[in-house]
Amino acid sequence: MGERVLAFTPGQSLGHYKIERLLGEGGMGAVYLAEDTTLHRKVALKVLPEDMASSPDRLVRFQREARAVAALNHPNIVTLFSVEEAHGTPFLTMELVEGTSLDRVVAAGPVPLAKVFDIGIALADALAAAHEKGIVHRDLKPANVMVTQEGRVKVLDFGLAKLAQAGAESEAGAPGAAARGTDDLPTRVPSGGLTREGLVIGTVPYMSPEQVRGEAVDARTDIFSLGVLLYELATGRRPFRGKSDAETISSILRDAPGPLAETRPDAPRDLQRILDHCLRKDPKERFQTARDIGNELRALHREVESGVAGQGAPKKSASARRRLGIGLVAAVVIPAVATLVFIARNRLATEAAHPPATTAAGPAAAAAAETDPHSIAVLPFVNMSADKEQEYFSDGISEELLNLLARIREIRVAARTSSFSFKGKDVEVPEIARQLHVAHVLEGSVRKSGNQVRITAQLIQASDGLSTWSQTYDRTLDDIFKIQDEIAADVVKELQVKLLGPTPHVRATDPQAYALYLQAVELGNQFTAAGFTKSDTLLRQALAIDPRYAPAWYRLGANADNEGTIGALSGAEAAARAREACQKAIAIDPEYAPAYSVLGEIAATYDNDLAGAARHLERALALDPRSPTTLGLAGSLLYLLGRADEALALMEAQVRRDPVNPAALTRLGISQRWAGRLDEAIATFRTLLSLNPGRGRTHEDCGMVLLLKGDADGALEEMQQEPIEAWRLIGLPMAYHALGRQADSDQALATLIAKYEKDAPYNIAYVYAYRGDADKAFEWLDKTVKYEDPGLSEIAVETFFDNIHPDPRWLPFLSRIGKDPGQLAKIPFKVTLPDER
């Protein structure tokens, strides 16, 4: 039972607080509505158990822990104002929240999907803010969550479970293994949510396995509770149930939650994946941070709204490769929103700091008024097959058609990132065309049953939404490539384009190998280690059927390259695998452009061979001058060669073509920083964060620009928000140094070195250079060579080495690694800015 609490009546005073009425009682005490007569505001006043005052040591410890909780300042966390004592009665004062308790919301059944995301993201953000300060809730449940009258989500009693434990462990020992539930308080009451037999922390249906076993808990127990709460919001029922607490505990320890699809068929399957990840029995197998959950939910929310998949995981190593945003499958692992949202936000953000004529997005906005009559967007074809798992096939057909049409120079084809952003979204075709600035839209459906395929396609004129051409193709799977060629030829004819040559044809292979290939592409687009492994297995099966299918060899190479990006393979192994596979693709098809792009990236990133990279990329551009991936790589290489103006022009052109692509925006922002266009760089990174809140590396990027502008306070704030530890640790010692906080700078740098000596020697070198320690900077540059850090590729343009440029060791070092200005100037690389089609 709970400890006895002193009772107060309306009109009584406790210190300078006048009690108005009792709001409720729970395991942590009684909660009253009170008026703060000093500040003249309403507060929630929680009177703690009477026995708290009888133990001075316990009360002191409780007060110390409560002050840590009071330091939390987050819009989704109810603020703890003070820990006080009057007449021997300890109490807390808190923000008074007017609204509806979430337990009343879930009692009415499943909530709308949009609301699941809104509440889930808010809860994840609240948990992340607390966990980053070392505070764990330990009793997250609907009764401890309020939705205000304005719709804001507020978490109550943050940290009070820890406070109760802190106050009682000395008397009751370690947490017990049993619990009997909690006294949930009514609306507007910050419930304690605790029960105690010996000492019990939590509420059974929302407790993690380690909680119910009485083991030590950390932030991951809140992650489990969040998963339970989200499941209940989505389905209207708890994932673990029983007729008694004992049965519920058994279910928590033993059972897997029922599939969402049973009760929530409209839920995207990735929501099931996220919840499963939260509800793993072993804490090590769950999401490790609430920040990750928030990012996943945001990405999925955007996918539900716009139909575009979320971004992949970052690589552990802090190398130039990730800094340049180079990724071979970037266009299909990017969260996106409507194009005009980007244009408006970026234009406004940039104009605030720079004349409109210099904005990156400005030309795109101007282009909206003039739509090329030979422009088209290929929307994802709808999967009409009985087997919904065949969606990879319909998506693959759509992408193949898009790529086929994109090879015709007289047609401007909307980038995949933008056109696929409308997948699953109920938007009229004229509106899609308006947002993508195209005159026509190609849409259709695919029905596959055994070896039979029916593809229906129609070309829609954007001005009136009417179909100008439609056709149904009934064939066997053996004819799939012929169908694609026919559709492309029919579209070209309908658009009345005068071609310089014949319509390009798709690369044919065995139908079974092609189906395996399409499925492998979809798995690779997940951008996870598991996805790449499964993708590789299918690609090898496809190649066993058709060893001369060049696209499958290329995809094997791209997978290996991306596995290096996320840290699933070492750099050397990733480069070797990617090089071998792409060389095989080129041996089969010497005109297969994507394989040359991968070889160019490997040469620049792993081989320190910028001349070789230039040769490969020139060949790729000659074969496919409008490839977004190749253009991005070419722009990065131009910058590494010191050709800043050309690089920026190319990157701005790429952003105009695909304005919601985070990889393109990242490259543009970094290039703007290197060029000294700091206000534009800040606008680009702010836009990127507005489109992708919580995106890894972007806060650090923004903080670096603020350092160059002399805004050390702003830089520190950005660095502290960076979710990826390695990049956060790279930025913090620089921000602290700029603020004159040398001890903090030293400590952050020591942590960076201890954790990432071999992963980030290049970055450690420029931290020392920025701090003015030339000897240490050169010591770490030598380690950069020793550890073969790909960051060396950008050393000639990195502004944070400026402090050591006058040092007599600088130019000899650049010469030793082939990066002095004279050596770079001798590397030929011919790039022509692509036409706007």
Side-chain angles (χ1 to χ4, degrees), residues 265-291:
D266 65 323
R269 59 185 176 185
D270 271 351
L271 183 58
Q272 178 78 64
R273 174 184 58 80
I274 292 170
L275 294 185
D276 286 346
H277 201 173
C278 291
L279 295 173
R280 298 283 174 83
K281 308 299 184 186
D282 186 342
K284 296 191 294 294
E285 296 179 0
R286 292 176 208 148
F287 284 108
Q288 297 300 290
T289 71
R291 187 77 63 194

PDB file of all heavy atoms in Angstrom, residues 265-291:
ATOM      1  N   PRO A 265      -5.800  -2.577 -40.287  1.00  0.00           N
ATOM      2  CA  PRO A 265      -5.312  -2.862 -41.642  1.00  0.00           C
ATOM      3  C   PRO A 265      -4.738  -1.646 -42.347  1.00  0.00           C
ATOM      4  O   PRO A 265      -3.987  -1.791 -43.309  1.00  0.00           O
ATOM      5  CB  PRO A 265      -6.570  -3.387 -42.361  1.00  0.00           C
ATOM      6  CG  PRO A 265      -7.725  -2.902 -41.550  1.00  0.00           C
ATOM      7  CD  PRO A 265      -7.248  -2.856 -40.142  1.00  0.00           C
ATOM      8  N   ASP A 266      -5.089  -0.421 -41.892  1.00  0.00           N
ATOM      9  CA  ASP A 266      -4.559   0.774 -42.559  1.00  0.00           C
ATOM     10  C   ASP A 266      -3.167   1.146 -42.062  1.00  0.00           C
ATOM     11  O   ASP A 266      -2.545   2.069 -42.592  1.00  0.00           O
ATOM     12  CB  ASP A 266      -5.497   1.955 -42.337  1.00  0.00           C
ATOM     13  CG  ASP A 266      -5.584   2.373 -40.876  1.00  0.00           C
ATOM     14  OD1 ASP A 266      -5.561   1.477 -39.997  1.00  0.00           O
ATOM     15  OD2 ASP A 266      -5.683   3.583 -40.599  1.00  0.00           O
ATOM     16  N   ALA A 267      -2.656   0.433 -41.047  1.00  0.00           N
ATOM     17  CA  ALA A 267      -1.334   0.762 -40.501  1.00  0.00           C
ATOM     18  C   ALA A 267      -0.248   0.318 -41.470  1.00  0.00           C
ATOM     19  O   ALA A 267      -0.283  -0.811 -41.973  1.00  0.00           O
ATOM     20  CB  ALA A 267      -1.133   0.089 -39.149  1.00  0.00           C
ATOM     21  N   PRO A 268       0.732   1.177 -41.768  1.00  0.00           N
ATOM     22  CA  PRO A 268       1.827   0.759 -42.649  1.00  0.00           C
ATOM     23  C   PRO A 268       2.641  -0.337 -41.980  1.00  0.00           C
ATOM     24  O   PRO A 268       2.790  -0.366 -40.760  1.00  0.00           O
ATOM     25  CB  PRO A 268       2.647   2.039 -42.821  1.00  0.00           C
ATOM     26  CG  PRO A 268       2.324   2.865 -41.625  1.00  0.00           C
ATOM     27  CD  PRO A 268       0.908   2.549 -41.274  1.00  0.00           C
ATOM     28  N   ARG A 269       3.199  -1.236 -42.785  1.00  0.00           N
ATOM     29  CA  ARG A 269       3.905  -2.369 -42.194  1.00  0.00           C
ATOM     30  C   ARG A 269       5.148  -1.939 -41.432  1.00  0.00           C
ATOM     31  O   ARG A 269       5.589  -2.621 -40.503  1.00  0.00           O
ATOM     32  CB  ARG A 269       4.261  -3.389 -43.268  1.00  0.00           C
ATOM     33  CG  ARG A 269       5.130  -2.857 -44.397  1.00  0.00           C
ATOM     34  CD  ARG A 269       5.315  -3.918 -45.458  1.00  0.00           C
ATOM     35  NE  ARG A 269       6.071  -3.413 -46.600  1.00  0.00           N
ATOM     36  CZ  ARG A 269       6.280  -4.121 -47.695  1.00  0.00           C
ATOM     37  NH1 ARG A 269       5.798  -5.345 -47.792  1.00  0.00           N
ATOM     38  NH2 ARG A 269       6.969  -3.618 -48.698  1.00  0.00           N
ATOM     39  N   ASP A 270       5.716  -0.765 -41.789  1.00  0.00           N
ATOM     40  CA  ASP A 270       6.890  -0.303 -41.057  1.00  0.00           C
ATOM     41  C   ASP A 270       6.547   0.130 -39.641  1.00  0.00           C
ATOM     42  O   ASP A 270       7.421   0.173 -38.774  1.00  0.00           O
ATOM     43  CB  ASP A 270       7.578   0.848 -41.798  1.00  0.00           C
ATOM     44  CG  ASP A 270       8.612   0.350 -42.789  1.00  0.00           C
ATOM     45  OD1 ASP A 270       8.908  -0.864 -42.760  1.00  0.00           O
ATOM     46  OD2 ASP A 270       9.126   1.153 -43.581  1.00  0.00           O
ATOM     47  N   LEU A 271       5.274   0.452 -39.383  1.00  0.00           N
ATOM     48  CA  LEU A 271       4.884   0.745 -38.005  1.00  0.00           C
ATOM     49  C   LEU A 271       4.993  -0.521 -37.173  1.00  0.00           C
ATOM     50  O   LEU A 271       5.415  -0.479 -36.007  1.00  0.00           O
ATOM     51  CB  LEU A 271       3.466   1.311 -37.957  1.00  0.00           C
ATOM     52  CG  LEU A 271       2.973   1.720 -36.562  1.00  0.00           C
ATOM     53  CD1 LEU A 271       3.881   2.751 -35.922  1.00  0.00           C
ATOM     54  CD2 LEU A 271       1.532   2.256 -36.646  1.00  0.00           C
ATOM     55  N   GLN A 272       4.605  -1.654 -37.758  1.00  0.00           N
ATOM     56  CA  GLN A 272       4.784  -2.938 -37.065  1.00  0.00           C
ATOM     57  C   GLN A 272       6.252  -3.168 -36.751  1.00  0.00           C
ATOM     58  O   GLN A 272       6.607  -3.600 -35.650  1.00  0.00           O
ATOM     59  CB  GLN A 272       4.256  -4.070 -37.940  1.00  0.00           C
ATOM     60  CG  GLN A 272       4.432  -5.461 -37.329  1.00  0.00           C
ATOM     61  CD  GLN A 272       3.393  -5.763 -36.264  1.00  0.00           C
ATOM     62  OE1 GLN A 272       2.211  -5.830 -36.571  1.00  0.00           O
ATOM     63  NE2 GLN A 272       3.823  -5.929 -35.031  1.00  0.00           N
ATOM     64  N   ARG A 273       7.120  -2.865 -37.724  1.00  0.00           N
ATOM     65  CA  ARG A 273       8.561  -3.051 -37.514  1.00  0.00           C
ATOM     66  C   ARG A 273       9.066  -2.181 -36.360  1.00  0.00           C
ATOM     67  O   ARG A 273       9.834  -2.646 -35.504  1.00  0.00           O
ATOM     68  CB  ARG A 273       9.319  -2.698 -38.798  1.00  0.00           C
ATOM     69  CG  ARG A 273      10.835  -2.720 -38.648  1.00  0.00           C
ATOM     70  CD  ARG A 273      11.519  -2.269 -39.924  1.00  0.00           C
ATOM     71  NE  ARG A 273      11.125  -0.938 -40.338  1.00  0.00           N
ATOM     72  CZ  ARG A 273      11.623   0.176 -39.797  1.00  0.00           C
ATOM     73  NH1 ARG A 273      12.532   0.107 -38.816  1.00  0.00           N
ATOM     74  NH2 ARG A 273      11.235   1.354 -40.225  1.00  0.00           N
ATOM     75  N   ILE A 274       8.626  -0.932 -36.313  1.00  0.00           N
ATOM     76  CA  ILE A 274       9.075  -0.023 -35.255  1.00  0.00           C
ATOM     77  C   ILE A 274       8.606  -0.521 -33.889  1.00  0.00           C
ATOM     78  O   ILE A 274       9.373  -0.542 -32.913  1.00  0.00           O
ATOM     79  CB  ILE A 274       8.565   1.406 -35.528  1.00  0.00           C
ATOM     80  CG1 ILE A 274       9.258   1.981 -36.771  1.00  0.00           C
ATOM     81  CG2 ILE A 274       8.808   2.316 -34.323  1.00  0.00           C
ATOM     82  CD1 ILE A 274       8.655   3.278 -37.255  1.00  0.00           C
ATOM     83  N   LEU A 275       7.336  -0.934 -33.809  1.00  0.00           N
ATOM     84  CA  LEU A 275       6.815  -1.409 -32.526  1.00  0.00           C
ATOM     85  C   LEU A 275       7.519  -2.697 -32.098  1.00  0.00           C
ATOM     86  O   LEU A 275       7.844  -2.872 -30.918  1.00  0.00           O
ATOM     87  CB  LEU A 275       5.317  -1.633 -32.630  1.00  0.00           C
ATOM     88  CG  LEU A 275       4.467  -0.387 -32.860  1.00  0.00           C
ATOM     89  CD1 LEU A 275       2.985  -0.729 -32.820  1.00  0.00           C
ATOM     90  CD2 LEU A 275       4.773   0.692 -31.842  1.00  0.00           C
ATOM     91  N   ASP A 276       7.746  -3.598 -33.048  1.00  0.00           N
ATOM     92  CA  ASP A 276       8.457  -4.835 -32.712  1.00  0.00           C
ATOM     93  C   ASP A 276       9.842  -4.525 -32.154  1.00  0.00           C
ATOM     94  O   ASP A 276      10.311  -5.186 -31.219  1.00  0.00           O
ATOM     95  CB  ASP A 276       8.590  -5.725 -33.952  1.00  0.00           C
ATOM     96  CG  ASP A 276       7.274  -6.380 -34.335  1.00  0.00           C
ATOM     97  OD1 ASP A 276       6.343  -6.367 -33.505  1.00  0.00           O
ATOM     98  OD2 ASP A 276       7.177  -6.900 -35.463  1.00  0.00           O
ATOM     99  N   HIS A 277      10.492  -3.530 -32.728  1.00  0.00           N
ATOM    100  CA  HIS A 277      11.837  -3.154 -32.283  1.00  0.00           C
ATOM    101  C   HIS A 277      11.796  -2.567 -30.866  1.00  0.00           C
ATOM    102  O   HIS A 277      12.706  -2.788 -30.062  1.00  0.00           O
ATOM    103  CB  HIS A 277      12.428  -2.137 -33.268  1.00  0.00           C
ATOM    104  CG  HIS A 277      13.914  -2.049 -33.243  1.00  0.00           C
ATOM    105  ND1 HIS A 277      14.633  -1.308 -34.141  1.00  0.00           N
ATOM    106  CD2 HIS A 277      14.833  -2.607 -32.421  1.00  0.00           C
ATOM    107  CE1 HIS A 277      15.919  -1.413 -33.877  1.00  0.00           C
ATOM    108  NE2 HIS A 277      16.061  -2.189 -32.828  1.00  0.00           N
ATOM    109  N   CYS A 278      10.738  -1.831 -30.558  1.00  0.00           N
ATOM    110  CA  CYS A 278      10.585  -1.283 -29.198  1.00  0.00           C
ATOM    111  C   CYS A 278      10.322  -2.387 -28.181  1.00  0.00           C
ATOM    112  O   CYS A 278      10.740  -2.275 -27.019  1.00  0.00           O
ATOM    113  CB  CYS A 278       9.427  -0.284 -29.146  1.00  0.00           C
ATOM    114  SG  CYS A 278       9.672   1.254 -30.019  1.00  0.00           S
ATOM    115  N   LEU A 279       9.610  -3.441 -28.600  1.00  0.00           N
ATOM    116  CA  LEU A 279       9.085  -4.438 -27.664  1.00  0.00           C
ATOM    117  C   LEU A 279       9.921  -5.706 -27.597  1.00  0.00           C
ATOM    118  O   LEU A 279       9.437  -6.750 -27.163  1.00  0.00           O
ATOM    119  CB  LEU A 279       7.643  -4.783 -28.053  1.00  0.00           C
ATOM    120  CG  LEU A 279       6.648  -3.618 -27.927  1.00  0.00           C
ATOM    121  CD1 LEU A 279       5.295  -3.991 -28.496  1.00  0.00           C
ATOM    122  CD2 LEU A 279       6.508  -3.159 -26.481  1.00  0.00           C
ATOM    123  N   ARG A 280      11.171  -5.634 -28.014  1.00  0.00           N
ATOM    124  CA  ARG A 280      12.045  -6.796 -27.878  1.00  0.00           C
ATOM    125  C   ARG A 280      12.251  -7.105 -26.393  1.00  0.00           C
ATOM    126  O   ARG A 280      12.384  -6.205 -25.562  1.00  0.00           O
ATOM    127  CB  ARG A 280      13.401  -6.529 -28.534  1.00  0.00           C
ATOM    128  CG  ARG A 280      13.308  -6.265 -30.034  1.00  0.00           C
ATOM    129  CD  ARG A 280      13.113  -7.531 -30.819  1.00  0.00           C
ATOM    130  NE  ARG A 280      12.891  -7.272 -32.230  1.00  0.00           N
ATOM    131  CZ  ARG A 280      13.849  -7.064 -33.124  1.00  0.00           C
ATOM    132  NH1 ARG A 280      15.114  -7.076 -32.718  1.00  0.00           N
ATOM    133  NH2 ARG A 280      13.556  -6.852 -34.385  1.00  0.00           N
ATOM    134  N   LYS A 281      12.289  -8.388 -26.062  1.00  0.00           N
ATOM    135  CA  LYS A 281      12.434  -8.773 -24.657  1.00  0.00           C
ATOM    136  C   LYS A 281      13.806  -8.385 -24.102  1.00  0.00           C
ATOM    137  O   LYS A 281      13.927  -7.981 -22.943  1.00  0.00           O
ATOM    138  CB  LYS A 281      12.239 -10.284 -24.505  1.00  0.00           C
ATOM    139  CG  LYS A 281      10.953 -10.833 -25.118  1.00  0.00           C
ATOM    140  CD  LYS A 281       9.705 -10.238 -24.513  1.00  0.00           C
ATOM    141  CE  LYS A 281       8.453 -10.891 -25.097  1.00  0.00           C
ATOM    142  NZ  LYS A 281       7.211 -10.239 -24.635  1.00  0.00           N
ATOM    143  N   ASP A 282      14.825  -8.531 -24.927  1.00  0.00           N
ATOM    144  CA  ASP A 282      16.193  -8.205 -24.510  1.00  0.00           C
ATOM    145  C   ASP A 282      16.457  -6.725 -24.775  1.00  0.00           C
ATOM    146  O   ASP A 282      16.346  -6.263 -25.923  1.00  0.00           O
ATOM    147  CB  ASP A 282      17.189  -9.053 -25.308  1.00  0.00           C
ATOM    148  CG  ASP A 282      18.625  -8.879 -24.822  1.00  0.00           C
ATOM    149  OD1 ASP A 282      18.913  -7.882 -24.128  1.00  0.00           O
ATOM    150  OD2 ASP A 282      19.466  -9.738 -25.154  1.00  0.00           O
ATOM    151  N   PRO A 283      16.801  -5.945 -23.747  1.00  0.00           N
ATOM    152  CA  PRO A 283      17.032  -4.506 -23.963  1.00  0.00           C
ATOM    153  C   PRO A 283      18.079  -4.212 -25.036  1.00  0.00           C
ATOM    154  O   PRO A 283      17.984  -3.202 -25.728  1.00  0.00           O
ATOM    155  CB  PRO A 283      17.499  -4.014 -22.579  1.00  0.00           C
ATOM    156  CG  PRO A 283      16.976  -5.008 -21.616  1.00  0.00           C
ATOM    157  CD  PRO A 283      16.975  -6.325 -22.333  1.00  0.00           C
ATOM    158  N   LYS A 284      19.047  -5.089 -25.195  1.00  0.00           N
ATOM    159  CA  LYS A 284      20.110  -4.848 -26.181  1.00  0.00           C
ATOM    160  C   LYS A 284      19.581  -4.915 -27.603  1.00  0.00           C
ATOM    161  O   LYS A 284      20.210  -4.402 -28.526  1.00  0.00           O
ATOM    162  CB  LYS A 284      21.253  -5.864 -26.001  1.00  0.00           C
ATOM    163  CG  LYS A 284      21.984  -5.773 -24.677  1.00  0.00           C
ATOM    164  CD  LYS A 284      23.242  -6.617 -24.674  1.00  0.00           C
ATOM    165  CE  LYS A 284      22.943  -8.102 -24.766  1.00  0.00           C
ATOM    166  NZ  LYS A 284      22.245  -8.641 -23.601  1.00  0.00           N
ATOM    167  N   GLU A 285      18.422  -5.569 -27.790  1.00  0.00           N
ATOM    168  CA  GLU A 285      17.871  -5.723 -29.133  1.00  0.00           C
ATOM    169  C   GLU A 285      16.851  -4.645 -29.477  1.00  0.00           C
ATOM    170  O   GLU A 285      16.356  -4.586 -30.600  1.00  0.00           O
ATOM    171  CB  GLU A 285      17.225  -7.105 -29.270  1.00  0.00           C
ATOM    172  CG  GLU A 285      18.221  -8.252 -29.151  1.00  0.00           C
ATOM    173  CD  GLU A 285      17.561  -9.610 -29.273  1.00  0.00           C
ATOM    174  OE1 GLU A 285      16.321  -9.654 -29.443  1.00  0.00           O
ATOM    175  OE2 GLU A 285      18.276 -10.619 -29.207  1.00  0.00           O
ATOM    176  N   ARG A 286      16.515  -3.781 -28.515  1.00  0.00           N
ATOM    177  CA  ARG A 286      15.561  -2.702 -28.782  1.00  0.00           C
ATOM    178  C   ARG A 286      16.267  -1.519 -29.449  1.00  0.00           C
ATOM    179  O   ARG A 286      17.479  -1.487 -29.572  1.00  0.00           O
ATOM    180  CB  ARG A 286      14.939  -2.217 -27.456  1.00  0.00           C
ATOM    181  CG  ARG A 286      14.043  -3.202 -26.800  1.00  0.00           C
ATOM    182  CD  ARG A 286      13.535  -2.683 -25.452  1.00  0.00           C
ATOM    183  NE  ARG A 286      13.246  -3.824 -24.585  1.00  0.00           N
ATOM    184  CZ  ARG A 286      13.369  -3.830 -23.275  1.00  0.00           C
ATOM    185  NH1 ARG A 286      13.783  -2.731 -22.642  1.00  0.00           N
ATOM    186  NH2 ARG A 286      13.102  -4.920 -22.578  1.00  0.00           N
ATOM    187  N   PHE A 287      15.472  -0.519 -29.827  1.00  0.00           N
ATOM    188  CA  PHE A 287      16.062   0.772 -30.122  1.00  0.00           C
ATOM    189  C   PHE A 287      16.887   1.167 -28.894  1.00  0.00           C
ATOM    190  O   PHE A 287      16.446   0.989 -27.755  1.00  0.00           O
ATOM    191  CB  PHE A 287      14.991   1.831 -30.347  1.00  0.00           C
ATOM    192  CG  PHE A 287      14.300   1.744 -31.673  1.00  0.00           C
ATOM    193  CD1 PHE A 287      12.991   1.302 -31.763  1.00  0.00           C
ATOM    194  CD2 PHE A 287      14.945   2.108 -32.835  1.00  0.00           C
ATOM    195  CE1 PHE A 287      12.337   1.225 -32.974  1.00  0.00           C
ATOM    196  CE2 PHE A 287      14.312   2.041 -34.064  1.00  0.00           C
ATOM    197  CZ  PHE A 287      13.005   1.597 -34.136  1.00  0.00           C
ATOM    198  N   GLN A 288      18.042   1.729 -29.139  1.00  0.00           N
ATOM    199  CA  GLN A 288      18.898   2.094 -28.012  1.00  0.00           C
ATOM    200  C   GLN A 288      18.675   3.524 -27.543  1.00  0.00           C
ATOM    201  O   GLN A 288      19.099   3.886 -26.445  1.00  0.00           O
ATOM    202  CB  GLN A 288      20.364   1.869 -28.383  1.00  0.00           C
ATOM    203  CG  GLN A 288      20.694   0.406 -28.663  1.00  0.00           C
ATOM    204  CD  GLN A 288      20.420  -0.496 -27.468  1.00  0.00           C
ATOM    205  OE1 GLN A 288      21.134  -0.435 -26.460  1.00  0.00           O
ATOM    206  NE2 GLN A 288      19.384  -1.335 -27.565  1.00  0.00           N
ATOM    207  N   THR A 289      18.036   4.338 -28.362  1.00  0.00           N
ATOM    208  CA  THR A 289      17.720   5.703 -27.938  1.00  0.00           C
ATOM    209  C   THR A 289      16.314   6.072 -28.384  1.00  0.00           C
ATOM    210  O   THR A 289      15.840   5.628 -29.438  1.00  0.00           O
ATOM    211  CB  THR A 289      18.703   6.737 -28.527  1.00  0.00           C
ATOM    212  OG1 THR A 289      18.466   6.874 -29.937  1.00  0.00           O
ATOM    213  CG2 THR A 289      20.153   6.332 -28.279  1.00  0.00           C
ATOM    214  N   ALA A 290      15.669   6.892 -27.590  1.00  0.00           N
ATOM    215  CA  ALA A 290      14.346   7.390 -27.965  1.00  0.00           C
ATOM    216  C   ALA A 290      14.441   8.324 -29.159  1.00  0.00           C
ATOM    217  O   ALA A 290      13.484   8.464 -29.933  1.00  0.00           O
ATOM    218  CB  ALA A 290      13.708   8.113 -26.774  1.00  0.00           C
ATOM    219  N   ARG A 291      15.594   8.974 -29.321  1.00  0.00           N
ATOM    220  CA  ARG A 291      15.788   9.848 -30.480  1.00  0.00           C
ATOM    221  C   ARG A 291      15.623   9.056 -31.777  1.00  0.00           C
ATOM    222  O   ARG A 291      15.045   9.532 -32.747  1.00  0.00           O
ATOM    223  CB  ARG A 291      17.172  10.490 -30.415  1.00  0.00           C
ATOM    224  CG  ARG A 291      17.441  11.536 -31.468  1.00  0.00           C
ATOM    225  CD  ARG A 291      16.767  12.852 -31.165  1.00  0.00           C
ATOM    226  NE  ARG A 291      17.255  13.443 -29.936  1.00  0.00           N
ATOM    227  CZ  ARG A 291      16.648  14.453 -29.312  1.00  0.00           C
ATOM    228  NH1 ARG A 291      15.537  14.946 -29.816  1.00  0.00           N
ATOM    229  NH2 ARG A 291      17.137  14.947 -28.196  1.00  0.00           N
TER     230      ARG A 291
END
